Structures are given as C-alpha cells and as structure tokens.
Amino acid sequence: MKKPVPAAKAEIQENNSNDAADQITLPTEINNVDYTFQKKDHSWFVTSDIPTDLLIQIEENTFHVHKYALLTKSGYIGRTEFQPTSSGLENNIKLDNFPGGPVTFKEVLKFCYGIPVDLSANNVAPLRCASEFLEMTEEFEDGNLISKSEAFLTFIVLSSWRDSVIVLKACENLSPLAENLQIVRRCCDSISRKAFQDKNELIDDKAWWFDDVATLRIDHFGRIIAAMKPKGIKPDILGSCIKHYAEKWLPSMDGEVEGQRRHWYGKNELQISIICGANHEDDIGQNKDQKIIIESLISILPPQKEAVSCKFLLWMLKRAMICYATPALISELEKRVGSVLEDANVQDLLIPRCTNKDRGGLNSPEERTMHSIDTVQRIIEYFLMHEHQKKTEDLDVSKLLDNYLAEIATDPNLSISKFQVLAEALPANTRVCHDGLYRAIDTYLKTHPSLPEQERRRLCRIMNCQRLSLDACMHVAQNDRLPLKIVIQVLFSEQVKMRTAIQSKEQTIEGNTRENDESWSSAKKEIMNLKTELEKVKERMSELQRDYSELQREYIMQINKPRRNSSWIFRWKKMKSISLFTEKAEEEIGEDQETPNQEGSTPNIIRRLSIT
C-alpha cells in the first residue's frame, strides 16, 4: 500500500561554515515536522524530530534519510533487505555503481522529499538512469521520476542539436545503462539527422558541427559517423570530420619525426627511430587510449578513395604502428595507401621503424634501420595489384620510388638486399629514364664506402645504362665510386647511342635527297612528254601553215572578183586564231624548261594540247 507524502514547498540555502561543513536548511512541513539537511565531510544528514532510520552508502558518501520517503517512490528500495547498523537505530544499504554517483542521488532525494527538481541537458541522462536503477515507475506514483525524465529527454533534448551533444557527452559515465535505455542511440540519430539537414558543404575543410562532435568519446563519435553513412552524407565530408577528430585527440607526428631524425644523424651509431614501450604507467595508459582511438578511426573510414587524402592515410599508418594497432587494421591501411600511392610524396612515405624495447628488437642491423622498408614494399605490392585489377599501364610511381630510395640510402644499416628488392619492385618498363635510380645507387655507395667490388657490381646491375641521360653519363664517367666495368659499359652505351643517332640522321638526309631526286626525275619525265606533244603540235602547225598559204593564194585570186565568198573569210579568221594560240603555248613551255621547280615538285604546265 502506498504511503502518500504531501508535497512540500522548499527553499534551499547553502552556508559555508568555518569547520568546512555545508548546511542545507529545508523549511518544510511533512506531518507538521521541520526537516533540516546537513552535510559534513562525506555524510548527509536529515535532522528532524523524527529520527532517520535508513543509511545509504554511495561510494565514499553516506546519506542518513527516512525510509518512508524512498519506499513510496522506489521499487528497488522496497524489495531490498536492509542490514542493521552497529548503533541499531538505522538500517544500512550500499548502492554499488549508482548512475551519476552521490551528486545524482542528492537530486533523487530532493524529488523523493517533494522538492522540485530542475531538469536540464546536463542532469537528465543521469536522473533517467538513476530512476531506472531505483525502479521509480508509475506503479508507485503518478508522474514518477522515470516518466518525467523520459518526457524531457524525448520532447526537449532530442529536438535540439546542442542539448543532444551535451546529453551524449553525459552518457560517457553512464554505460551500460545509458546504452540499454537507448539514450545513446537516440542522441546519435538526432545529431546525424540534423547534420544531414545542413547544406552538406565544407568551408576551409571544415563544417560547423565538427567541433561539437569532436568533443565526444571515440565510441560515441563512431556511432554518429556510422549513423551518418546511410543518410547519404558525402564521403569527403565524413573523411574531413574523421581527420578533424584525429588531429584533436592524437598528437602531431611531424614534430616527433623531425626531432628523431635530428637525433639519428647526430650520432655515430644509428639510434632506433621510435622506442615504443613506456616505463611509466601514465604513458602506458595514454598509449592504450591512443590505440583505441586510432583503431576506431580506421574502422569507420569511408571506403571511397575521395574520402581522405593519401597524406592522412600515411599519417594514420604511422600512428597505428607506434601504438601497435591490430595487424589486420594496419594491413587495411597499407592497402588503402597502395590504391592512391600516386598521390603520395616522399616525406609522407618515410615511415619510421617502431621497435618495442620490451620485445628486444635491436639484434640485427636490419632491425636498427631508420625506416620501415617492409611496410613500403607491401604498399607497392598492393599498388601493383590494384593497377593490375584496373588493367592500366600508367604506373606513375617510379619517380616517387627513386626519390624514396635516395632518402633511405643514407641509412648505414640498410642492407643491400633490402635496397635491391625495393628498387626492383616495379616492372622494368615503368622507368623511362634511370637517372633517379642512378642517383639513389650513388647515394647508397657514398654511405657504404666499404662495400666490396662484387656487391657494387650487383647494385649497379639494377639500372639500365642505355636509359641514362647525357648528363648522367658524364657524371658516371667521373664517378670513382662505381666499378670500372660499369663506367666502361655506360660510356660504350653512350657511344652506341651517339652512333645510332648519327646514322639515323644520315639516313634521314639521304632519304630526303632521294625523295628530291625522284621528284625531279618525275618532273623531267613530264617535261619530255610535253616536248613530244609540242613536236606533234609543230608538225600539225606546219600542215596548217601550208593550208594557210594555199588559202591565202586563193584569197588573192578571188579578191579581184566582184563577189566574195563568206566561207573563205571564216576559214581565214579561224586559221589566224590558231596561229596566235600556238605561239603563246610555245612561249610558256620554253619558260618552264628554263626554270624548273626547286622543291622537286612537278611544274605547273599544260599537260596536253590538242587541236580539233
């Protein structure tokens, strides 16, 4: 049976006394009894004419309260077996893992004693979980704490972006109860929905909501990104958000690497690149947190290539190796870098070798190298696999690899086998020019002056002497670090190339001359044909000249006659026009014979003359 407790109007005052005791006076009347709440050290007391009969212990705090104030609202308190205290005046209850701790329980007590509680985004999640823990349902009282906190959460908090973020952050200390009550899921859905309703645009590689979600714990951040993916948010926006989160929670890599490199080159003996395996518990805990963050970020990366840059992927890979992330996730990062390797640069590809001194990784010289050569080799293999699947022949990473080889060649602990395997990782047809490879080999020989002659020859066989430029060949001729056989081979190759070039040029000149001769021969043939045609025309003209002479005589004979024949006059005019045309053709043919076309082309002359 319920025991009703009349609502009390209360006014809370806090007084700080000299003995460090906080006192809260509650002027109220419950059954005409005055109550006073006092706090001293870690104990809370409710003093009145009615003595307290229940002691509740939460962490290091104890609350001396009246049993009936809780029994009317909490099912958990009603079914709990009380343990008598040493004084015998109170019963004892210890609440382990109480949501929100003593601060939240104080708010619950205020509600149980009828004092109005102001719900806000900061306290609604702890009060919702605490009321669920204490089973403060409607069965005990209408408008109990569960229903009030749930209504505020549903209708007030989830409709506001800012309140949803605040509640989600408050849930970080309320797991797993906040998860079971779906508070985390509902807040993540609300945040992702409001982010999707935005213009979905980036300003300076950043959206307005990046800073808010970056304050959340990594598991809640991952839940938000996972909720955004099905809603259709662009991959590049999700990738930028993940990058923003990583830059906030993970230390910068550039400063560490530059500092280490200065340390490496300042010693005669090469020092290890990065020593993982802290001595202090704080450092161990920090590395563990960073490992959780880096693994979570790798898991939620969008699969699209445009989501994040190759530079960021390599930065993540370095952090993952330092924190000793799961090998499967490191392999996934290496594959992603391989798919966009053409966008990488040499500095980002210089991945420092990470050695855990607790595992004793400084036994062989190869384990003391500055950079992780095996990682880059796997990345190149993934790149070649990716390009083979696309069936493309454009492998534009040879220059990148040659520059990388020149950088790592300065490492005195780099073995010739590692260098050679990496130099031969790309197919032979990908390098049009071997100048970059020669520079890397020369740098390696300069760093390893005691290398035997046989090893030098083995190293120089990697490059193709026929694909060196003239400047490189001149440098080879003066390079005393190279084996003499290689120098002779390069000079001979350059001589062969020069001779081939000269012969090719001579053949080209001869070909042009032959073409000119053929053109002139064709022109001469045309001229001879025209001469033959002209002779025929001359013969025909001679015949016509004779006919003309006869006609002229006949004309003279007929001129004295009184009657003129019109047909004779017509024949006379016709013969005269033919005579003029023939003279003009002879003049044009004569000019073409004297000035032939100097480019070897056929002269532009009349090919056929005919008289009908």
Side-chain angles (χ1 to χ4, degrees):
M1 182 176 180
K2 296 181 180 179
K3 297 180 181 180
V5 178
K9 296 181 180 180
E11 182 179 346
I12 301 177
Q13 298 177 350
E14 295 187 7
N15 299 320
N16 296 326
S17 58
N18 295 330
D19 58 355
D22 296 333
Q23 178 174 324
I24 299 179
T25 304
L26 180 62
T28 184
E29 292 183 1
I30 300 179
N31 296 331
N32 297 322
V33 177
D34 293 333
Y35 291 89
T36 302
F37 284 73
Q38 295 180 344
K39 179 185 178 183
K40 188 174 183 180
D41 295 334
H42 295 287
S43 298
W44 281 89
F45 299 91
V46 179
T47 60
S48 66
D49 294 339
I50 302 175
T52 58
D53 55 357
L54 182 61
L55 187 150
I56 299 178
Q57 184 177 355
I58 299 176
E59 297 177 0
E60 297 178 355
N61 294 265
T62 56
F63 294 83
H64 301 265
V65 299
H66 297 89
K67 187 187 304 181
Y68 70 87
L70 297 176
L71 289 175
T72 57
K73 292 181 174 62
S74 173
Y76 180 85
I77 299 296
R79 61 183 177 83
T80 301
E81 295 183 1
F82 304 121
Q83 301 294 330
T85 60
S86 58
S87 62
L89 299 177
E90 293 178 327
N91 296 313
N92 184 25
I93 298 178
K94 184 177 182 181
L95 301 180
D96 295 326
N97 300 322
F98 185 80
V103 176
T104 302
F105 187 74
K106 183 181 70 173
E107 297 293 320
V108 173
L109 283 180
K110 290 169 60 178
F111 181 82
C112 292
Y113 277 95
I115 303 174
V117 177
D118 293 331
L119 292 175
S120 66
N122 293 307
N123 64 8
V124 66
L127 286 175
R128 176 66 183 90
C129 294
S131 61
E132 187 72 21
F133 183 91
L134 295 174
E135 301 175 13
M136 302 176 70
T137 63
E138 298 295 297
E139 178 183 355
F140 298 93
E141 184 181 77
D142 294 336
N144 210 342
L145 190 54
I146 286 181
S147 60
K148 287 183 179 296
S149 59
E150 184 64 31
F152 184 85
L153 181 65
T154 303
F155 297 105
I156 304 299
V157 171
L158 297 181
S159 62
S160 169
W161 166 276
R162 178 67 62 181
D163 290 345
S164 298
V165 174
I166 293 174
V167 170
L168 189 57
K169 191 166 183 62
C171 290
E172 295 177 358
N173 300 321
L174 300 173
S175 299
L177 197 52
E179 290 281 357
N180 298 334
L181 296 175
Q182 303 295 316
I183 300 177
V184 174
R185 181 191 61 79
R186 287 183 287 173
C187 288
C188 291
D189 289 342
S190 175
I191 292 172
S192 62
R193 183 170 57 253
K194 289 176 174 58
F196 178 70
Q197 292 172 354
D198 187 37
K199 293 182 179 180
N200 214 12
E201 295 179 355
L202 295 177
I203 300 177
D204 297 332
D205 199 28
K206 184 178 176 182
W208 62 268
W209 47 272
F210 281 10
D211 289 333
D212 290 337
V213 297
T215 61
L216 301 173
R217 199 172 63 186
I218 182 60
D219 56 338
H220 294 164
F221 175 79
R223 293 278 292 274
I224 291 176
I225 297 298
M228 288 180 177
K229 289 180 180 179
K231 290 180 171 58
I233 296 183
K234 296 179 181 179
D236 59 331
I237 294 181
L238 295 179
S240 298
C241 183
I242 293 173
K243 179 183 176 183
H244 183 77
Y245 189 93
E247 291 173 348
K248 178 179 177 62
W249 290 97
L250 296 176
S252 174
M253 188 73 184
D254 297 335
E256 295 175 4
V257 173
E258 290 299 326
Q260 291 289 347
R261 292 184 67 184
R262 287 193 295 267
H263 180 64
W264 293 333
Y265 290 107
K267 298 286 186 178
N268 294 327
E269 289 292 334
L270 183 67
Q271 302 298 321
I272 193 64
S273 58
I274 292 180
I275 303 294
C276 299
N279 295 325
H280 305 287
E281 294 182 0
D282 294 340
D283 295 336
I284 294 175
Q286 184 179 4
N287 288 337
K288 184 178 180 181
D289 293 339
Q290 292 184 14
K291 178 181 178 181
I292 294 174
I293 292 174
I294 196 70
E295 289 181 346
S296 301
L297 294 179
I298 296 172
S299 302
I300 62 177
L301 280 174
Q304 292 83 357
K305 292 177 62 175
E306 68 273 13
V308 291
S309 63
C310 183
K311 181 181 183 68
F312 177 70
L313 290 174
L314 286 168
W315 182 79
M316 293 267 287
L317 179 59
K318 295 173 184 177
R319 298 305 315 176
M321 295 180 66
I322 291 176
C323 298
Y324 282 96
T326 306
L329 294 176
I330 293 180
S331 178
E332 180 64 24
L333 270 182
E334 292 174 350
K335 291 178 182 178
R336 294 201 59 166
V337 173
S339 65
V340 291
L341 185 59
E342 61 273 9
D343 299 330
N345 59 58
V346 177
Q347 294 302 322
D348 295 331
L349 207 58
L350 294 175
I351 303 173
R353 174 178 290 277
C354 184
T355 303
N356 192 336
K357 61 184 180 181
D358 295 334
R359 302 181 183 180
L362 300 176
N363 296 325
S364 63
E366 291 187 4
E367 293 174 339
R368 294 197 298 269
T369 55
M370 291 184 292
H371 305 99
S372 179
I373 312 300
D374 296 335
T375 301
V376 177
Q377 184 177 348
R378 289 193 298 268
I379 289 175
I380 293 176
E381 292 174 357
Y382 291 135
F383 169 78
L384 295 175
M385 292 171 57
H386 180 74
E387 292 295 325
H388 178 70
Q389 291 175 357
K390 294 195 304 182
K391 297 181 179 180
T392 61
E393 297 180 357
D394 186 15
L395 304 180
D396 191 20
V397 294
S398 59
K399 185 176 180 180
L400 173 67
L401 180 59
D402 292 344
N403 292 334
Y404 177 79
L405 288 170
E407 287 288 335
I408 65 174
T410 58
D411 187 349
N413 287 324
L414 178 62
S415 66
I416 187 174
S417 299
K418 288 282 186 181
F419 185 90
Q420 182 176 0
V421 169
L422 191 60
E424 295 175 344
L426 292 179
N429 59 348
T430 58
R431 287 187 178 92
V432 179
C433 179
H434 280 215
D435 285 8
L437 186 59
Y438 164 67
R439 181 171 68 93
I441 293 175
D442 185 47
T443 303
Y444 188 89
L445 294 177
K446 187 186 301 183
T447 309
H448 302 77
S450 60
L451 202 65
E453 182 75 11
Q454 184 179 359
E455 297 294 330
R456 293 172 181 265
R457 293 181 183 178
R458 170 189 169 187
L459 191 62
C460 292
R461 290 194 194 102
I462 303 174
M463 63 180 179
N464 188 344
C465 300
Q466 297 179 355
R467 295 189 179 183
L468 294 176
S469 65
L470 180 60
D471 293 338
C473 291
M474 293 178 64
H475 189 275
V476 169
Q478 303 174 8
N479 193 347
D480 56 357
R481 288 184 293 272
L482 296 177
L484 182 59
K485 183 178 180 181
I486 300 299
V487 176
I488 295 174
Q489 184 179 354
V490 171
L491 294 177
F492 177 76
S493 175
E494 185 64 21
Q495 185 179 7
V496 170
K497 285 194 295 185
M498 293 178 63
R499 181 177 296 178
T500 303
I502 293 173
Q503 291 178 353
S504 176
K505 188 173 183 179
E506 290 177 351
Q507 291 176 358
T508 302
I509 295 174
E510 291 177 359
N512 294 335
T513 304
R514 189 179 298 109
E515 290 179 359
N516 293 335
D517 292 343
E518 291 177 356
S519 299
W520 174 242
S521 176
S522 177
K524 289 177 66 177
K525 187 175 181 181
E526 290 288 337
I527 293 173
M528 294 300 295
N529 291 336
L530 289 173
K531 284 183 177 181
T532 304
E533 294 274 345
L534 185 60
E535 292 295 330
K536 292 180 181 180
V537 171
K538 285 182 178 181
E539 291 178 1
R540 182 60 178 163
M541 288 300 298
S542 298
E543 294 177 359
L544 291 174
Q545 188 68 30
R546 287 193 298 269
D547 292 341
Y548 172 75
S549 299
E550 293 178 359
L551 288 173
Q552 190 176 19
R553 286 195 301 270
E554 291 181 3
Y555 174 75
I556 294 173
M557 293 174 60
Q558 295 293 331
I559 197 172
N560 296 325
K561 293 183 180 181
R563 185 179 177 181
R564 296 182 179 180
N565 195 335
S566 60
S567 61
W568 287 104
I569 297 173
F570 174 76
R571 291 179 63 187
W572 170 260
K573 293 181 178 180
K574 182 178 180 181
M575 293 300 297
K576 191 163 185 173
S577 64
I578 291 173
S579 177
L580 294 174
F581 174 78
T582 305
E583 292 176 358
K584 184 177 182 180
E586 290 178 353
E587 292 176 0
E588 292 180 354
I589 292 172
E591 292 177 358
D592 291 331
Q593 289 177 351
E594 293 175 359
T595 59
N597 193 328
Q598 297 185 12
E599 293 181 356
S601 60
T602 304
N604 185 16
I605 59 177
I606 300 174
R607 295 179 180 273
R608 180 75 62 182
L609 295 175
S610 62
I611 300 177
T612 58

